[in-house]
């Protein structure tokens, strides 16, 4: 299976689940391949045939984008190392959940969440400790008796009941057979991402812009919080109290037009503005929904209100 086929399958699944899906990010480098939205769910989806191909820098940017734009990052692939990804199993790579297409389909289309997580040493299931304790108590079975039946320690059973330890699939199946009750807790893939996302993105003050590029500094001086990117189709995310903008910076060229068109598609999904700052002259006011603004126009701005007014003016001209 090629990556192209994999992406087509993923887009098909997301559309079946009523997601709006952006155009494919086919510009290198890229931290994500697709953006998708359904109601309040925003996904940044990275597609890799082998999920071990995800590197730390790309994962970091995916998590930063998800945090700043109010979304979730997800990795979809087909294999890990020398084996295929299993159905209904969640793998984690740099704190980003990774699944195969079938698991993605089950979760978003069939509303059937996965039950198993992959970790060093094998596959594990999270046990509903309250259900376990209630079932054991109803059958008048002591911790020691149940531990003996399973061949584990009393402390292990206590940890299962406290929700402090996952169990192997074999142990869970044995427990469910002994107690005649369902114990496996399903995994909410999106919540799994949120729980793992502990470290905040690098503060804007610590971000270093390229010395030859002062456009982002200009936006910052206007009052925007500017988060630069290294692998996204846009140069930065610019935010103030009212607006969030995907922000590109380039001279006017065919490559810029292609990037601006992609930014327009992504902004429709992320529900943000899309703006491209052009160094030198521009030959048009917009590319789809991306507004083109010459750097000299930006230099004359006194604050974000003037900047937004110019964006709105150019957007209205496009509609007419």
């Amino acid at each position: 299976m090629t990556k192209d086929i994999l992406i087509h399958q993923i887009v098909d699944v997301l559309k079946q689940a009523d997601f709006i899906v952006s155009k494919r990010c086919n510009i290198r480098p890229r931290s994500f391949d697709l953006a998708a939205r359904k109601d309040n769910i925003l996904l940044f989806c990275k597609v890799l045939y082998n999920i071990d191909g995800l590197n730390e820098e790309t994962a970091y940017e995916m998590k930063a984008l998800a945090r700043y734009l109010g979304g979730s990052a997800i990795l979809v692939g087909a294999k890990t190392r020398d084996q295929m990804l299993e159905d209904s199993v969640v793998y984690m790579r740099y704190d980003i959940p990774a699944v195969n297409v079938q698991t993605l389909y089950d979760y978003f289309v069939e509303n059937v969440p996965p039950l198993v997580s992959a970790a060093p040493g094998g596959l594990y299931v999270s046990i509903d400790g309250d259900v376990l304790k209630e079932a054991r108590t109803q059958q008048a079975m002591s911790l020691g008796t149940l531990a003996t039946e399973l061949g584990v320690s009393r402390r292990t059973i206590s940890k299962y009941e406290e929700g402090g330890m996952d169990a192997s699939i074999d142990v869970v199946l044995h427990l469910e057979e002994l107690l005649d009750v369902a114990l496996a807790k399903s995994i909410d893939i999106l919540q799994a991402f949120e729980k793992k996302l502990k470290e905040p993105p690098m503060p804007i003050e610590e971000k270093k812009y390229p010395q030859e590029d002062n456009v982002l500094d200009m936006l910052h001086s206007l009052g925007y919080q500017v988060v630069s990117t290294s692998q996204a189709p846009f140069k930065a995310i610019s935010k103030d109290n009212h607006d969030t903008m995907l922000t590109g910076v380039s001279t006017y060229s065919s490559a810029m037009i292609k990037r601006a068109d992609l930014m327009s598609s992504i902004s429709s999904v992320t529900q943000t503005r899309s703006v491209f700052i052009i160094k030198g002259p521009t030959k048009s006011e917009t590319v789809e929904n991306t507004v083109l603004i010459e750097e000299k126009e930006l230099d004359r701005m006194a604050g974000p209100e003037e900047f937004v007014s110019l964006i709105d003016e150019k957007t209205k001209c496009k509609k007419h």
Side-chain angles (χ1 to χ4, degrees):
M1 179 190 298
T2 67
K3 180 176 177 178
D4 285 341
I5 294 174
L6 195 56
I7 288 180
H8 282 303
Q9 291 177 339
I10 292 164
V11 170
D12 183 57
V13 167
L14 291 173
K15 288 185 176 180
Q16 284 187 64
D18 296 325
F19 276 83
I20 300 170
V21 184
S22 73
K23 292 181 179 179
R24 176 180 174 180
C25 299
N26 52 6
I27 299 172
R28 293 181 178 273
R30 51 181 175 267
S31 51
F32 64 95
D33 291 279
L34 300 165
R37 177 181 289 278
K38 178 182 178 180
D39 301 326
N40 293 325
I41 300 173
L42 173 63
L43 298 178
F44 292 97
C45 181
K46 181 70 176 176
V47 182
L48 291 170
Y49 182 74
N50 186 332
I51 63 172
D52 297 315
L54 182 69
N55 61 55
E56 188 172 7
E57 181 183 4
T58 298
Y60 179 89
E61 183 156 304
M62 285 181 69
K63 290 183 286 187
L65 289 173
R67 183 183 290 272
Y68 279 109
L69 294 174
S72 300
I74 188 169
L75 175 61
V76 183
K79 66 172 290 187
T80 174
R81 300 182 182 86
D82 58 351
Q83 62 184 13
M84 305 305 289
L85 300 185
E86 297 194 36
D87 297 346
S88 196
V89 176
V90 177
Y91 303 75
M92 299 298 292
R93 293 295 182 271
Y94 298 106
D95 296 336
I96 294 176
V99 297
N100 66 11
V101 176
Q102 183 61 52
T103 305
L104 188 77
Y105 176 86
D106 291 341
Y107 183 73
F108 284 116
V109 178
E110 298 294 338
N111 295 315
V112 178
L115 296 172
V116 182
S117 60
L123 302 177
Y124 296 90
V125 176
S126 181
I127 293 175
D128 190 321
D130 293 335
V131 174
L132 172 59
K133 185 173 184 179
E134 182 180 353
R136 179 180 61 78
T137 302
Q138 286 181 349
Q139 295 195 23
M141 188 179 293
S142 68
L143 286 171
T145 301
L146 186 54
T148 300
E149 287 281 358
L150 289 175
V152 298
S153 67
R154 288 166 50 94
R155 178 59 183 154
T156 296
I157 301 298
S158 292
K159 286 185 176 180
Y160 291 160
E161 293 186 351
E162 293 165 2
M165 178 186 292
D166 291 344
S168 68
I169 295 175
D170 288 342
V171 166
V172 174
L173 291 175
H174 194 177
L175 273 171
E176 290 183 338
E177 184 179 356
L178 284 171
L179 301 174
D180 192 26
V181 66
L183 295 171
K185 290 175 66 176
S186 61
I187 301 170
D188 187 319
I189 296 174
L190 301 184
Q191 284 188 3
F193 171 74
E194 293 297 330
K195 288 178 182 178
K196 289 289 185 179
L197 194 59
K198 297 176 182 178
E199 295 299 324
M202 186 183 296
I204 185 62
E205 290 77 15
E206 297 179 22
K207 280 286 189 185
K208 302 299 182 183
Y209 306 135
Q211 291 184 353
E212 70 276 8
D213 180 13
N214 66 342
V215 172
L216 300 186
D217 280 327
M218 293 167 66
L219 287 170
H220 192 212
S221 66
L222 285 179
Y224 287 97
Q225 180 187 24
V226 183
V227 182
S228 65
T229 65
S230 61
Q231 299 183 42
F234 37 89
K235 185 78 170 179
I237 301 170
S238 306
K239 298 180 68 173
D240 67 1
N241 293 331
H242 306 287
D243 289 295
T244 299
M245 301 183 299
L246 306 185
T247 310
V249 181
S250 176
T251 55
Y252 191 92
S253 66
S254 59
M256 181 280 304
I257 293 173
K258 182 178 179 181
R259 196 174 287 267
D261 179 68
L262 178 55
M263 284 172 54
S264 175
S265 175
I266 295 170
S267 70
S268 296
V269 172
T270 57
Q271 297 178 353
T272 59
R273 293 179 183 266
S274 180
V275 178
F276 223 110
I277 309 300
I278 306 299
K279 293 191 167 189
T282 179
K283 297 179 181 179
S284 59
E285 299 289 313
T286 60
V287 175
E288 294 300 326
N289 294 323
T290 298
V291 175
L292 309 186
I293 295 177
E294 293 183 4
E295 183 179 4
K296 64 182 182 181
E297 295 179 284
L298 179 64
D299 195 33
R300 293 196 293 263
M301 300 293 167
E305 296 83 6
E306 290 185 26
F307 189 44
V308 170
S309 293
L310 180 59
I311 294 171
D312 289 341
E313 180 182 332
K314 292 186 180 238
T315 300
K316 289 178 183 177
C317 288
K318 170 185 177 289
K319 292 179 179 178
H320 296 306

